[in-house]
Amino acid sequence: MMSFNLYVQQNQWIVETLLAGTSLMILLCLTYIAMWRPREEETRRESEIRIRGPLSFFQWVLSFMPWPLVLIIFGTFIYGIAHTALAMTRLPNW
């Protein structure tokens, strides 16, 4: 009889795929909800917006862009840097 732990280890990619799909579905739902929330910047005049540095720029971007999209952009940026750094440390095997 095969134990559950061994079964999960043998089909580890299935469990990882299910977890990744679940997290992407939650992220999609949160993005959809955030896209339809009322915008604070729509009620302000453009002359009131003052960008004085990186922190105020980030607050301005978050005032109209849903936070899941910001997380996707930062995650893609971090993945690109990490992938490039790891690719530079390994020689190609062709």
Side-chain angles (χ1 to χ4, degrees):
M1 181 176 224
M2 187 179 299
S3 69
F4 179 72
N5 190 21
L6 183 61
Y7 177 74
V8 170
Q9 287 178 352
Q10 284 179 348
N11 296 315
Q12 185 174 351
W13 63 274
I14 294 175
V15 175
E16 291 174 0
T17 305
L18 289 173
L19 290 174
T22 304
S23 63
L24 286 174
M25 182 54 106
I26 290 171
L27 185 64
L28 178 75
C29 292
L30 290 174
T31 304
Y32 183 77
I33 291 169
M35 282 184 350
W36 290 105
R37 69 179 164 88
R39 307 289 194 258
E40 296 172 6
E41 291 297 316
E42 291 175 356
T43 58
R44 285 185 177 176
R45 293 190 335 228
E46 290 188 15
S47 63
E48 294 179 5
I49 300 171
R50 300 279 186 242
I51 298 175
R52 294 185 178 92
L55 185 61
S56 62
F57 176 75
F58 187 67
Q59 289 173 346
W60 173 71
V61 167
L62 282 179
S63 67
F64 64 87
M65 185 180 287
W67 63 268
L69 292 179
V70 174
L71 289 178
I72 289 172
I73 291 169
F74 280 131
T76 304
F77 181 71
I78 291 170
Y79 172 76
I81 290 175
H83 183 73
T84 304
L86 288 174
M88 289 187 324
T89 60
R90 294 189 208 122
L91 293 174
N93 58 0
W94 35 270

Coordinates of all heavy atoms in Angstrom, one line a residue:
M1 N 0.8 -1.2 0.0 CA 0.0 0.0 0.0 C 0.9 1.2 0.0 O 1.8 1.3 0.8 CB -0.9 0.0 1.2 CG -1.8 1.1 1.3 SD -2.9 0.9 2.8 CE -4.4 1.4 2.0
M2 N 0.6 2.2 -0.8 CA 1.4 3.4 -1.0 C 0.9 4.5 0.0 O -0.3 4.7 0.1 CB 1.3 3.9 -2.4 CG 2.2 5.1 -2.7 SD 2.0 5.6 -4.4 CE 2.5 4.2 -5.3
S3 N 1.8 5.1 0.7 CA 1.4 6.1 1.6 C 1.1 7.4 0.9 O 1.5 7.6 -0.3 CB 2.4 6.4 2.7 OG 3.6 7.0 2.1
F4 N 0.3 8.3 1.5 CA -0.1 9.6 0.9 C 1.1 10.4 0.6 O 1.2 11.1 -0.4 CB -1.1 10.3 1.8 CG -1.5 11.6 1.2 CD1 -2.3 11.7 0.2 CD2 -1.0 12.8 1.8 CE1 -2.7 12.9 -0.4 CE2 -1.4 14.0 1.3 CZ -2.3 14.1 0.2
N5 N 2.1 10.4 1.5 CA 3.3 11.3 1.4 C 4.1 10.9 0.1 O 4.5 11.7 -0.7 CB 4.2 11.2 2.6 CG 5.3 12.2 2.6 OD1 5.2 13.2 1.9 ND2 6.4 11.9 3.3
L6 N 4.2 9.6 -0.1 CA 4.9 9.1 -1.3 C 4.1 9.5 -2.6 O 4.7 9.8 -3.6 CB 5.1 7.6 -1.2 CG 5.9 6.9 -2.4 CD1 7.3 7.5 -2.4 CD2 6.0 5.5 -2.2
Y7 N 2.8 9.4 -2.5 CA 2.0 9.7 -3.7 C 2.1 11.2 -4.0 O 2.2 11.5 -5.2 CB 0.5 9.3 -3.4 CG -0.4 9.7 -4.5 CD1 -0.5 8.9 -5.6 CD2 -1.3 10.8 -4.4 CE1 -1.3 9.3 -6.7 CE2 -2.1 11.1 -5.4 CZ -2.2 10.3 -6.5 OH -3.0 10.7 -7.5
V8 N 2.2 12.0 -3.0 CA 2.3 13.5 -3.3 C 3.7 13.8 -3.9 O 3.8 14.5 -4.8 CB 2.0 14.3 -2.0 CG1 2.4 15.7 -2.2 CG2 0.6 14.2 -1.6
Q9 N 4.7 13.1 -3.4 CA 6.1 13.3 -3.9 C 6.2 12.8 -5.3 O 6.9 13.4 -6.1 CB 7.1 12.6 -3.0 CG 7.3 13.3 -1.7 CD 8.3 12.6 -0.8 OE1 8.7 11.5 -1.1 NE2 8.6 13.2 0.3
Q10 N 5.5 11.7 -5.7 CA 5.6 11.2 -7.0 C 4.9 12.2 -8.0 O 5.4 12.3 -9.2 CB 5.0 9.8 -7.1 CG 5.9 8.8 -6.6 CD 5.3 7.4 -6.7 OE1 4.1 7.3 -7.0 NE2 6.0 6.4 -6.4
N11 N 3.8 12.8 -7.6 CA 3.1 13.6 -8.5 C 3.2 15.1 -8.0 O 2.2 15.8 -7.9 CB 1.6 13.2 -8.5 CG 1.5 11.8 -9.2 OD1 2.1 11.5 -10.2 ND2 0.7 11.0 -8.5
Q12 N 4.4 15.5 -7.7 CA 4.6 16.8 -7.1 C 4.2 17.9 -8.1 O 3.7 18.9 -7.7 CB 6.1 16.9 -6.8 CG 6.5 18.1 -6.0 CD 7.9 18.1 -5.6 OE1 8.5 17.0 -5.7 NE2 8.4 19.2 -5.1
W13 N 4.4 17.7 -9.4 CA 4.1 18.7 -10.4 C 2.6 19.0 -10.5 O 2.2 20.1 -10.8 CB 4.7 18.4 -11.7 CG 4.1 17.1 -12.3 CD1 4.5 15.8 -12.1 CD2 3.0 17.0 -13.2 NE1 3.8 14.9 -12.7 CE2 2.8 15.6 -13.4 CE3 2.1 17.9 -13.8 CZ2 1.8 15.1 -14.3 CZ3 1.1 17.4 -14.6 CH2 1.0 16.1 -14.8
I14 N 1.8 17.9 -10.2 CA 0.3 18.1 -10.2 C -0.1 19.0 -9.1 O -0.9 19.9 -9.3 CB -0.4 16.7 -10.2 CG1 -0.1 15.9 -11.4 CG2 -1.9 16.9 -10.0 CD1 -0.7 14.5 -11.4
V15 N 0.5 18.8 -7.9 CA 0.1 19.6 -6.7 C 0.6 21.0 -7.0 O -0.2 22.0 -6.7 CB 0.7 19.0 -5.5 CG1 0.5 19.9 -4.3 CG2 0.2 17.6 -5.2
E16 N 1.8 21.2 -7.5 CA 2.3 22.6 -7.8 C 1.4 23.3 -8.8 O 1.2 24.5 -8.7 CB 3.7 22.5 -8.2 CG 4.7 22.1 -7.1 CD 6.1 21.9 -7.6 OE1 6.3 22.1 -8.8 OE2 6.9 21.6 -6.8
T17 N 1.0 22.6 -9.8 CA 0.1 23.1 -10.9 C -1.2 23.6 -10.3 O -1.7 24.6 -10.6 CB -0.1 22.2 -12.0 OG1 1.2 21.8 -12.5 CG2 -0.9 22.8 -13.1
L18 N -1.8 22.7 -9.4 CA -3.1 23.1 -8.8 C -2.9 24.3 -7.9 O -3.8 25.2 -7.9 CB -3.6 21.9 -8.0 CG -4.1 20.7 -8.9 CD1 -4.5 19.5 -8.0 CD2 -5.3 21.1 -9.7
L19 N -1.9 24.4 -7.2 CA -1.6 25.5 -6.3 C -1.4 26.8 -7.1 O -1.9 27.9 -6.8 CB -0.5 25.3 -5.3 CG -0.7 24.2 -4.3 CD1 0.6 24.0 -3.5 CD2 -1.8 24.7 -3.3
A20 N -0.6 26.7 -8.2 CA -0.4 27.8 -9.0 C -1.7 28.3 -9.7 O -2.0 29.5 -9.8 CB 0.7 27.5 -10.1
G21 N -2.5 27.4 -10.2 CA -3.8 27.7 -10.8 C -4.7 28.4 -9.8 O -5.4 29.4 -10.2
T22 N -4.8 27.9 -8.6 CA -5.6 28.5 -7.6 C -5.2 29.9 -7.2 O -6.0 30.8 -7.1 CB -5.6 27.6 -6.3 OG1 -6.0 26.3 -6.6 CG2 -6.5 28.2 -5.2
S23 N -3.8 30.1 -7.1 CA -3.4 31.4 -6.8 C -3.6 32.4 -7.9 O -3.9 33.6 -7.7 CB -1.9 31.4 -6.4 OG -1.1 30.9 -7.5
L24 N -3.4 31.9 -9.2 CA -3.7 32.8 -10.3 C -5.2 33.2 -10.4 O -5.5 34.3 -10.8 CB -3.2 32.2 -11.6 CG -1.7 32.1 -11.8 CD1 -1.3 31.3 -13.0 CD2 -1.1 33.5 -11.9
M25 N -6.0 32.2 -10.1 CA -7.5 32.5 -10.1 C -7.9 33.5 -9.0 O -8.6 34.5 -9.3 CB -8.3 31.2 -9.9 CG -9.8 31.5 -10.0 SD -10.2 32.3 -11.5 CE -11.0 31.0 -12.4
I26 N -7.3 33.4 -7.9 CA -7.5 34.4 -6.8 C -7.0 35.8 -7.2 O -7.7 36.8 -7.0 CB -6.9 33.9 -5.5 CG1 -7.6 32.7 -4.9 CG2 -6.9 35.1 -4.4 CD1 -7.0 32.1 -3.8
L27 N -5.8 35.8 -7.8 CA -5.2 37.1 -8.3 C -6.1 37.7 -9.4 O -6.3 38.9 -9.4 CB -3.8 36.8 -8.8 CG -3.1 38.1 -9.2 CD1 -2.8 39.0 -8.0 CD2 -1.7 37.7 -9.9
L28 N -6.7 36.8 -10.3 CA -7.6 37.3 -11.3 C -8.8 38.0 -10.7 O -9.3 39.0 -11.1 CB -7.9 36.2 -12.3 CG -8.9 36.6 -13.4 CD1 -8.2 37.4 -14.5 CD2 -9.5 35.4 -14.0
C29 N -9.4 37.3 -9.7 CA -10.6 37.8 -9.1 C -10.3 39.1 -8.4 O -11.1 40.1 -8.5 CB -11.2 36.8 -8.1 SG -11.8 35.3 -8.9
L30 N -9.2 39.2 -7.7 CA -8.8 40.4 -7.0 C -8.5 41.6 -8.0 O -8.9 42.7 -7.7 CB -7.6 40.2 -6.1 CG -7.9 39.3 -4.9 CD1 -6.6 39.1 -4.1 CD2 -8.9 40.0 -3.9
T31 N -7.9 41.2 -9.1 CA -7.7 42.3 -10.1 C -9.0 42.8 -10.7 O -9.2 44.0 -10.9 CB -6.8 41.7 -11.2 OG1 -5.6 41.2 -10.7 CG2 -6.5 42.8 -12.3
Y32 N -9.9 41.9 -11.0 CA -11.2 42.3 -11.5 C -12.0 43.2 -10.6 O -12.6 44.2 -11.0 CB -12.0 41.0 -11.9 CG -13.4 41.3 -12.5 CD1 -13.4 41.7 -13.8 CD2 -14.5 41.3 -11.8 CE1 -14.6 42.0 -14.5 CE2 -15.7 41.5 -12.4 CZ -15.8 41.9 -13.7 OH -17.0 42.2 -14.3
I33 N -11.9 42.8 -9.3 CA -12.6 43.6 -8.3 C -12.0 45.0 -8.2 O -12.6 46.0 -8.1 CB -12.6 42.9 -6.9 CG1 -13.6 41.7 -7.0 CG2 -13.1 43.9 -5.8 CD1 -13.4 40.8 -5.8
A34 N -10.6 45.0 -8.2 CA -9.9 46.3 -8.1 C -10.1 47.2 -9.3 O -10.0 48.4 -9.2 CB -8.4 46.0 -7.8
M35 N -10.3 46.6 -10.4 CA -10.4 47.4 -11.6 C -11.8 48.2 -11.6 O -11.8 49.2 -12.2 CB -10.4 46.5 -12.9 CG -9.0 46.1 -13.3 SD -8.8 45.2 -14.8 CE -10.4 44.7 -15.3
W36 N -12.7 47.7 -10.9 CA -14.0 48.3 -10.9 C -14.3 49.2 -9.7 O -15.4 49.7 -9.5 CB -15.1 47.3 -11.1 CG -15.1 46.7 -12.5 CD1 -14.7 45.5 -12.8 CD2 -15.5 47.4 -13.7 NE1 -14.8 45.3 -14.2 CE2 -15.3 46.5 -14.7 CE3 -16.0 48.6 -14.0 CZ2 -15.6 46.8 -16.0 CZ3 -16.3 48.9 -15.3 CH2 -16.1 48.0 -16.3
R37 N -13.3 49.3 -8.8 CA -13.5 50.2 -7.7 C -13.5 51.7 -8.1 O -12.9 52.0 -9.1 CB -12.4 50.0 -6.6 CG -11.1 50.4 -7.0 CD -10.0 50.2 -5.9 NE -8.7 50.3 -6.4 CZ -8.0 51.4 -6.5 NH1 -8.5 52.5 -6.1 NH2 -6.8 51.4 -7.0
P38 N -14.2 52.5 -7.3 CA -14.2 54.0 -7.7 C -12.8 54.5 -7.6 O -12.1 54.3 -6.6 CB -15.2 54.6 -6.7 CG -15.3 53.6 -5.6 CD -15.0 52.3 -6.2
R39 N -12.4 55.4 -8.5 CA -11.1 56.0 -8.6 C -11.1 57.3 -7.8 O -12.0 58.1 -7.9 CB -10.7 56.3 -10.0 CG -10.8 55.1 -10.9 CD -9.7 54.1 -10.6 NE -9.5 53.1 -11.6 CZ -10.0 51.9 -11.6 NH1 -10.7 51.5 -10.6 NH2 -9.8 51.0 -12.6
E40 N -10.1 57.4 -7.0 CA -10.0 58.7 -6.2 C -9.5 59.8 -7.1 O -9.9 61.0 -6.8 CB -9.0 58.5 -5.0 CG -9.4 57.4 -4.0 CD -8.3 57.1 -3.0 OE1 -7.3 57.8 -3.1 OE2 -8.5 56.2 -2.2
E41 N -8.7 59.5 -8.0 CA -8.1 60.6 -8.9 C -9.1 61.2 -9.8 O -8.9 62.3 -10.4 CB -6.9 60.1 -9.7 CG -5.7 59.7 -8.8 CD -5.2 61.0 -8.1 OE1 -5.0 62.0 -8.8 OE2 -4.9 60.9 -6.9
E42 N -10.2 60.5 -10.1 CA -11.2 61.0 -11.0 C -11.9 62.2 -10.4 O -12.4 63.0 -11.2 CB -12.2 59.9 -11.4 CG -11.6 58.8 -12.3 CD -12.5 57.7 -12.5 OE1 -13.6 57.7 -12.0 OE2 -12.1 56.8 -13.3
T43 N -12.0 62.3 -9.1 CA -12.7 63.4 -8.5 C -11.8 64.6 -8.3 O -12.2 65.7 -8.0 CB -13.2 62.9 -7.1 OG1 -12.2 62.5 -6.3 CG2 -14.3 61.8 -7.3
R44 N -10.4 64.4 -8.3 CA -9.5 65.5 -8.1 C -9.2 66.2 -9.4 O -9.3 65.6 -10.5 CB -8.2 64.9 -7.6 CG -8.2 64.5 -6.2 CD -6.8 64.1 -5.9 NE -6.6 63.8 -4.5 CZ -5.5 63.3 -4.0 NH1 -4.4 63.2 -4.7 NH2 -5.4 63.1 -2.7
R45 N -8.8 67.4 -9.3 CA -8.3 68.1 -10.5 C -6.8 67.8 -10.7 O -6.1 67.5 -9.7 CB -8.4 69.6 -10.3 CG -9.9 70.1 -10.2 CD -10.0 71.6 -10.3 NE -8.8 72.3 -9.8 CZ -8.8 73.3 -8.9 NH1 -9.9 73.7 -8.4 NH2 -7.7 73.8 -8.5
E46 N -6.4 67.8 -11.9 CA -5.0 67.5 -12.2 C -4.0 68.5 -11.6 O -2.8 68.2 -11.4 CB -4.8 67.3 -13.7 CG -5.5 66.1 -14.3 CD -5.1 65.9 -15.7 OE1 -4.1 66.5 -16.2 OE2 -5.8 65.2 -16.4
S47 N -4.4 69.7 -11.3 CA -3.5 70.7 -10.8 C -3.2 70.4 -9.3 O -2.2 70.9 -8.8 CB -4.1 72.1 -10.9 OG -5.3 72.1 -10.1
E48 N -3.9 69.5 -8.6 CA -3.7 69.2 -7.3 C -2.6 68.1 -7.1 O -2.1 67.9 -6.0 CB -4.9 68.7 -6.6 CG -6.0 69.8 -6.4 CD -7.3 69.3 -5.8 OE1 -7.2 68.1 -5.3 OE2 -8.2 70.0 -5.7
I49 N -2.3 67.4 -8.2 CA -1.4 66.3 -8.1 C 0.0 66.8 -8.1 O 0.5 67.5 -9.1 CB -1.6 65.3 -9.3 CG1 -3.0 64.7 -9.3 CG2 -0.6 64.2 -9.3 CD1 -3.4 64.0 -10.5
R50 N 0.8 66.5 -7.1 CA 2.2 66.9 -7.0 C 3.1 65.7 -6.8 O 2.9 65.0 -5.8 CB 2.4 67.9 -5.8 CG 1.6 69.1 -5.9 CD 2.2 70.2 -6.8 NE 1.5 71.4 -6.8 CZ 0.9 72.0 -7.8 NH1 1.0 71.4 -9.0 NH2 0.3 73.1 -7.7
I51 N 4.0 65.5 -7.7 CA 4.9 64.4 -7.5 C 6.3 65.0 -7.2 O 6.9 65.7 -7.9 CB 5.0 63.6 -8.8 CG1 3.7 63.0 -9.2 CG2 6.1 62.5 -8.7 CD1 3.6 62.2 -10.5
R52 N 6.7 64.6 -5.9 CA 7.9 65.2 -5.4 C 9.1 64.2 -5.3 O 10.2 64.6 -5.0 CB 7.7 65.9 -4.1 CG 6.7 67.0 -4.2 CD 6.6 67.7 -2.9 NE 5.7 68.9 -3.0 CZ 4.4 68.9 -2.8 NH1 3.8 67.8 -2.5 NH2 3.7 70.0 -2.9
G53 N 8.8 62.9 -5.5 CA 9.8 61.9 -5.3 C 9.3 60.5 -5.6 O 8.1 60.4 -6.0
P54 N 10.1 59.5 -5.4 CA 9.7 58.1 -5.7 C 8.4 57.7 -4.9 O 7.6 57.0 -5.4 CB 10.9 57.3 -5.4 CG 12.0 58.2 -5.3 CD 11.5 59.6 -5.0
L55 N 8.4 58.1 -3.6 CA 7.3 57.7 -2.8 C 6.0 58.3 -3.2 O 4.9 57.6 -3.3 CB 7.5 58.0 -1.3 CG 6.5 57.5 -0.3 CD1 6.4 56.0 -0.3 CD2 6.8 58.0 1.1
S56 N 6.0 59.6 -3.5 CA 4.7 60.3 -4.0 C 4.4 59.7 -5.4 O 3.2 59.6 -5.7 CB 4.9 61.8 -4.0 OG 5.9 62.2 -4.9
F57 N 5.4 59.4 -6.2 CA 5.0 58.8 -7.5 C 4.4 57.4 -7.4 O 3.4 57.1 -8.0 CB 6.3 58.7 -8.4 CG 6.1 58.0 -9.7 CD1 5.5 58.6 -10.7 CD2 6.5 56.6 -9.9 CE1 5.3 58.0 -11.9 CE2 6.3 56.0 -11.1 CZ 5.7 56.7 -12.1
F58 N 4.9 56.6 -6.4 CA 4.3 55.3 -6.2 C 2.9 55.5 -5.6 O 2.0 54.7 -6.0 CB 5.2 54.5 -5.2 CG 4.7 53.1 -5.0 CD1 4.8 52.2 -6.1 CD2 4.2 52.7 -3.8 CE1 4.4 50.9 -5.9 CE2 3.8 51.4 -3.6 CZ 3.9 50.5 -4.7
Q59 N 2.6 56.4 -4.8 CA 1.3 56.7 -4.2 C 0.4 57.1 -5.4 O -0.8 56.8 -5.4 CB 1.3 57.7 -3.1 CG 2.0 57.2 -1.8 CD 2.1 58.3 -0.8 OE1 2.0 59.4 -1.1 NE2 2.4 57.8 0.4
W60 N 0.9 58.0 -6.3 CA 0.1 58.4 -7.4 C -0.3 57.3 -8.3 O -1.5 57.2 -8.7 CB 0.8 59.5 -8.2 CG 0.1 59.9 -9.4 CD1 -1.0 60.6 -9.5 CD2 0.5 59.6 -10.7 NE1 -1.3 60.8 -10.8 CE2 -0.4 60.2 -11.6 CE3 1.6 58.9 -11.3 CZ2 -0.3 60.1 -13.0 CZ3 1.7 58.8 -12.6 CH2 0.8 59.4 -13.5
V61 N 0.6 56.4 -8.6 CA 0.4 55.2 -9.4 C -0.7 54.3 -8.8 O -1.6 53.8 -9.4 CB 1.7 54.4 -9.7 CG1 1.4 53.1 -10.4 CG2 2.5 55.2 -10.7
L62 N -0.5 54.1 -7.5 CA -1.5 53.2 -6.8 C -2.9 53.8 -6.7 O -3.9 53.1 -6.4 CB -1.0 52.9 -5.4 CG 0.1 51.8 -5.3 CD1 0.5 51.6 -3.8 CD2 -0.4 50.5 -5.9
S63 N -3.0 55.2 -6.9 CA -4.3 55.8 -6.8 C -5.2 55.4 -8.0 O -6.4 55.5 -7.9 CB -4.2 57.3 -6.7 OG -3.6 57.8 -7.9
F64 N -4.6 55.0 -9.1 CA -5.4 54.7 -10.3 C -5.2 53.3 -10.8 O -6.0 52.8 -11.6 CB -5.3 55.7 -11.4 CG -3.9 55.8 -12.0 CD1 -3.6 55.0 -13.0 CD2 -3.0 56.7 -11.5 CE1 -2.3 55.0 -13.6 CE2 -1.8 56.8 -12.0 CZ -1.4 56.0 -13.1
M65 N -4.1 52.7 -10.4 CA -3.8 51.3 -10.9 C -4.1 50.3 -9.8 O -3.6 50.5 -8.7 CB -2.3 51.2 -11.3 CG -1.9 49.9 -12.0 SD -0.2 49.8 -12.4 CE -0.1 50.9 -13.8
P66 N -4.8 49.2 -10.2 CA -5.1 48.2 -9.2 C -3.8 47.6 -8.6 O -2.9 47.3 -9.4 CB -5.9 47.2 -9.9 CG -6.4 47.9 -11.1 CD -5.4 48.9 -11.5
W67 N -3.8 47.3 -7.3 CA -2.6 46.7 -6.7 C -2.2 45.4 -7.3 O -1.0 45.1 -7.3 CB -2.7 46.7 -5.2 CG -3.8 45.9 -4.7 CD1 -5.0 46.2 -4.4 CD2 -3.7 44.5 -4.3 NE1 -5.7 45.1 -3.9 CE2 -4.9 44.1 -3.9 CE3 -2.6 43.5 -4.4 CZ2 -5.2 42.8 -3.5 CZ3 -2.9 42.2 -4.0 CH2 -4.1 41.9 -3.5
P68 N -3.1 44.5 -7.7 CA -2.6 43.2 -8.3 C -1.8 43.4 -9.5 O -0.8 42.7 -9.8 CB -3.9 42.4 -8.6 CG -4.9 43.0 -7.6 CD -4.6 44.4 -7.5
L69 N -2.1 44.4 -10.3 CA -1.3 44.7 -11.5 C 0.0 45.2 -11.2 O 1.0 44.9 -11.8 CB -2.1 45.7 -12.4 CG -3.4 45.3 -13.1 CD1 -4.0 46.4 -13.9 CD2 -3.1 44.1 -13.9
V70 N 0.1 46.0 -10.1 CA 1.4 46.5 -9.6 C 2.3 45.3 -9.1 O 3.5 45.2 -9.4 CB 1.3 47.5 -8.5 CG1 2.6 47.9 -7.9 CG2 0.5 48.8 -9.0
L71 N 1.6 44.3 -8.4 CA 2.3 43.2 -8.0 C 2.8 42.3 -9.2 O 3.9 41.8 -9.1 CB 1.5 42.3 -7.1 CG 1.2 42.9 -5.7 CD1 0.2 41.9 -4.9 CD2 2.4 43.1 -4.9
I72 N 2.0 42.2 -10.2 CA 2.4 41.5 -11.4 C 3.6 42.1 -12.1 O 4.6 41.5 -12.5 CB 1.2 41.3 -12.4 CG1 0.2 40.3 -11.8 CG2 1.7 40.8 -13.7 CD1 -1.1 40.3 -12.6
I73 N 3.6 43.4 -12.2 CA 4.7 44.2 -12.8 C 6.0 44.0 -12.0 O 7.0 43.7 -12.6 CB 4.3 45.7 -13.0 CG1 3.2 45.8 -14.0 CG2 5.5 46.5 -13.3 CD1 2.6 47.2 -14.0
F74 N 5.9 44.2 -10.7 CA 7.1 44.0 -9.8 C 7.6 42.5 -9.9 O 8.8 42.3 -9.9 CB 6.8 44.4 -8.4 CG 6.9 45.9 -8.2 CD1 5.9 46.6 -7.6 CD2 8.0 46.6 -8.7 CE1 6.0 48.0 -7.4 CE2 8.1 48.0 -8.6 CZ 7.1 48.7 -7.9
G75 N 6.6 41.6 -9.8 CA 7.0 40.2 -9.9 C 7.7 39.8 -11.2 O 8.7 39.1 -11.2
T76 N 7.2 40.3 -12.3 CA 7.9 40.1 -13.6 C 9.2 40.7 -13.6 O 10.2 40.1 -14.1 CB 7.0 40.7 -14.7 OG1 5.7 40.1 -14.6 CG2 7.6 40.4 -16.1
F77 N 9.4 41.9 -13.1 CA 10.7 42.6 -13.0 C 11.7 41.8 -12.2 O 12.8 41.5 -12.6 CB 10.5 44.0 -12.5 CG 11.8 44.8 -12.4 CD1 12.4 45.2 -13.6 CD2 12.4 45.1 -11.2 CE1 13.5 46.0 -13.6 CE2 13.5 45.8 -11.2 CZ 14.1 46.2 -12.4
I78 N 11.3 41.3 -11.0 CA 12.2 40.6 -10.1 C 12.5 39.2 -10.8 O 13.6 38.8 -10.7 CB 11.5 40.4 -8.8 CG1 11.5 41.7 -8.0 CG2 12.2 39.4 -7.9 CD1 10.7 41.8 -6.8
Y79 N 11.5 38.6 -11.4 CA 11.8 37.3 -12.1 C 12.8 37.5 -13.2 O 13.7 36.7 -13.4 CB 10.5 36.7 -12.6 CG 10.7 35.5 -13.5 CD1 11.1 34.2 -12.9 CD2 10.7 35.5 -14.8 CE1 11.3 33.1 -13.7 CE2 10.9 34.4 -15.6 CZ 11.2 33.2 -15.0 OH 11.5 32.1 -15.8
G80 N 12.6 38.5 -14.0 CA 13.6 38.8 -15.1 C 15.0 39.0 -14.6 O 15.9 38.5 -15.2
I81 N 15.2 39.7 -13.5 CA 16.5 40.0 -13.0 C 17.1 38.6 -12.4 O 18.2 38.3 -12.7 CB 16.5 41.0 -11.9 CG1 16.2 42.4 -12.6 CG2 17.8 41.1 -11.1 CD1 16.0 43.5 -11.6
A82 N 16.2 37.9 -11.7 CA 16.7 36.6 -11.1 C 17.1 35.6 -12.2 O 18.1 34.9 -12.1 CB 15.7 36.1 -10.1
H83 N 16.2 35.5 -13.2 CA 16.5 34.6 -14.3 C 17.7 34.9 -15.1 O 18.5 34.0 -15.4 CB 15.3 34.5 -15.2 CG 15.4 33.5 -16.3 ND1 15.3 32.2 -16.1 CD2 15.7 33.7 -17.7 CE1 15.5 31.6 -17.3 NE2 15.7 32.5 -18.2
T84 N 17.9 36.2 -15.3 CA 19.2 36.6 -16.0 C 20.4 36.4 -15.2 O 21.4 35.9 -15.7 CB 19.1 38.1 -16.3 OG1 17.9 38.4 -17.1 CG2 20.3 38.6 -17.1
A85 N 20.3 36.6 -13.9 CA 21.5 36.4 -13.0 C 21.8 34.9 -12.9 O 22.9 34.5 -12.9 CB 21.2 36.9 -11.6
L86 N 20.7 34.0 -12.8 CA 21.0 32.6 -12.8 C 21.5 32.1 -14.2 O 22.3 31.1 -14.2 CB 19.7 31.8 -12.4 CG 19.3 32.0 -11.0 CD1 18.0 31.3 -10.7 CD2 20.4 31.4 -10.1
A87 N 21.0 32.6 -15.3 CA 21.5 32.2 -16.6 C 22.9 32.6 -16.8 O 23.7 31.9 -17.5 CB 20.6 32.8 -17.7
M88 N 23.4 33.7 -16.2 CA 24.8 34.1 -16.3 C 25.7 33.2 -15.6 O 26.9 33.1 -15.9 CB 25.0 35.5 -15.8 CG 24.4 36.6 -16.7 SD 24.7 38.3 -16.4 CE 24.8 38.3 -14.6
T89 N 25.2 32.5 -14.5 CA 26.1 31.7 -13.7 C 26.2 30.3 -14.3 O 27.2 29.5 -14.0 CB 25.6 31.5 -12.3 OG1 24.3 31.0 -12.3 CG2 25.6 32.9 -11.6
R90 N 25.3 29.9 -15.2 CA 25.4 28.5 -15.8 C 25.8 28.6 -17.2 O 25.3 29.4 -18.0 CB 24.0 27.9 -15.7 CG 23.6 27.6 -14.3 CD 22.3 26.7 -14.4 NE 21.5 27.0 -13.2 CZ 20.3 27.4 -13.2 NH1 19.7 27.6 -14.3 NH2 19.7 27.6 -12.0
L91 N 26.7 27.7 -17.7 CA 27.1 27.7 -19.1 C 26.0 27.0 -19.9 O 25.3 26.1 -19.3 CB 28.4 26.9 -19.2 CG 29.6 27.6 -18.6 CD1 30.8 26.7 -18.7 CD2 29.9 28.9 -19.3
P92 N 25.8 27.3 -21.1 CA 24.8 26.6 -21.9 C 25.3 25.2 -22.2 O 26.5 24.9 -22.3 CB 24.7 27.4 -23.2 CG 25.9 28.3 -23.2 CD 26.4 28.5 -21.8
N93 N 24.4 24.2 -22.2 CA 24.8 22.8 -22.4 C 24.6 22.4 -23.9 O 24.4 21.2 -24.1 CB 24.0 21.9 -21.4 CG 22.5 22.1 -21.6 OD1 22.1 22.8 -22.5 ND2 21.8 21.3 -20.9
W94 N 24.7 23.3 -24.8 CA 24.5 22.9 -26.2 C 25.9 22.9 -26.8 O 26.5 23.4 -27.4 CB 23.5 23.7 -26.9 CG 23.4 25.1 -26.5 CD1 22.6 25.6 -25.6 CD2 24.1 26.2 -27.1 NE1 22.7 26.9 -25.5 CE2 23.6 27.4 -26.4 CE3 25.1 26.4 -28.0 CZ2 24.1 28.6 -26.6 CZ3 25.5 27.7 -28.3 CH2 25.1 28.8 -27.6

